[in-house]
């Protein structure tokens, strides 16, 4: 069974640490990736970690993950609230999907309360800061356990 997990990040998350730190904190995406890699090793998972500002790249990575990954965590960033295309791509992925938001989107502007991705996600983590990525990995490891 595959132990490969994808973690995907949407637009503007390349600026994590510099971008609105009062909302998103001071950690960079490289810090997040480093911590996720350490945890993945501990959990016996392999990791592919990507970020893009382009919707089609996120979709292509979801397609790539379809045949090889046992789970996927995604912070779709602003695409969360706009992208039927990302939702459609996730609907082609047959393994656990965890949606991650660093901030508590429900405490923010009303347009952030709607998530297309939540229609597919098996779990949603919001407002736990960058720790949310590690919580998502732990949940995927749990869901991806062989049942036999
Ligand atoms: C975000 C929340 C989104 O509303 C926003 O567009 C982001 C980041 C978060 O991680 O809290 O870019 O997904």
């Amino acid at each position: 069974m595959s132990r490969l997990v994808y973690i995907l990040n949407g637009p503007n998350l390349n600026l994590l640490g510099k971008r609105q730190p009062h909302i998103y904190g001071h950690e960079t995406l490289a810090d997040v990736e480093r911590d996720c890699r350490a945890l993945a090793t501990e959990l016996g998972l392999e990791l592919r970690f990507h970020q893009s500002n382009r919707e089609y790249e996120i979709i292509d990575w979801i397609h790539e993950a379809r045949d090889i990954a046992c789970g996927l965590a995604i912070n779709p960033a602003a695409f969360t609230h706009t992208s039927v295309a990302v939702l459609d791509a996730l609907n082609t992925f047959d393994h656990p999907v965890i949606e991650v938001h660093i901030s508590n989107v429900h405490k923010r502007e009303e347009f952030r309360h709607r998530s297309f991705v939540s229609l597919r996600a098996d779990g949603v983590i919001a407002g736990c800061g960058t720790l949310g990525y590690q919580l998502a990995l732990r949940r995927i490891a749990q869901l991806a356990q062989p049942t036999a």
Side-chain angles (χ1 to χ4, degrees):
M1 184 188 172
S2 160
R3 298 294 287 168
L4 177 63
V5 174
Y6 275 58
I7 298 186
L8 302 179
N9 292 279
N12 301 304
L13 289 169
N14 52 312
L15 295 181
L16 202 62
K18 294 183 197 144
R19 169 198 185 204
Q20 297 179 286
H22 57 291
I23 296 176
Y24 299 113
H26 292 277
E27 270 198 317
T28 65
L29 201 60
D31 295 333
V32 174
E33 178 173 358
R34 182 203 57 215
D35 292 347
C36 286
R37 288 202 179 281
L39 180 62
T41 303
E42 197 184 298
L43 296 171
L45 297 172
E46 250 183 88
L47 192 62
R48 290 199 187 160
F49 191 101
H50 296 298
Q51 185 276 332
S52 182
N53 296 325
R54 300 169 190 86
E55 194 173 14
Y56 77 87
E57 272 190 313
I58 307 275
I59 292 165
D60 285 349
W61 285 321
I62 295 169
H63 291 178
E64 185 184 279
R66 289 181 71 233
D67 293 328
I68 53 176
C70 67
L72 187 156
I74 182 165
N75 183 347
F79 293 151
T80 309
H81 319 296
T82 61
S83 181
V84 175
V86 171
L87 169 64
D88 283 351
L90 289 170
N91 277 331
T92 75
F93 183 78
D94 291 333
H95 301 284
V97 173
I98 306 295
E99 177 181 348
V100 177
H101 299 287
I102 297 164
S103 66
N104 181 358
V105 282
H106 300 289
K107 220 177 156 185
R108 301 181 62 194
E109 303 96 321
E110 205 165 327
F111 67 84
R112 294 185 204 275
H113 300 179
R114 182 180 71 167
S115 166
F116 286 106
V117 169
S118 291
L119 291 168
R120 165 62 184 91
D122 298 295
V124 181
I125 298 164
C128 296
T130 51
L131 181 68
Y133 288 88
Q134 292 177 55
L135 300 174
L137 260 186
R138 286 193 185 278
R139 180 61 177 154
I140 288 169
Q142 193 178 52
L143 292 172
Q145 288 292 341
T147 48

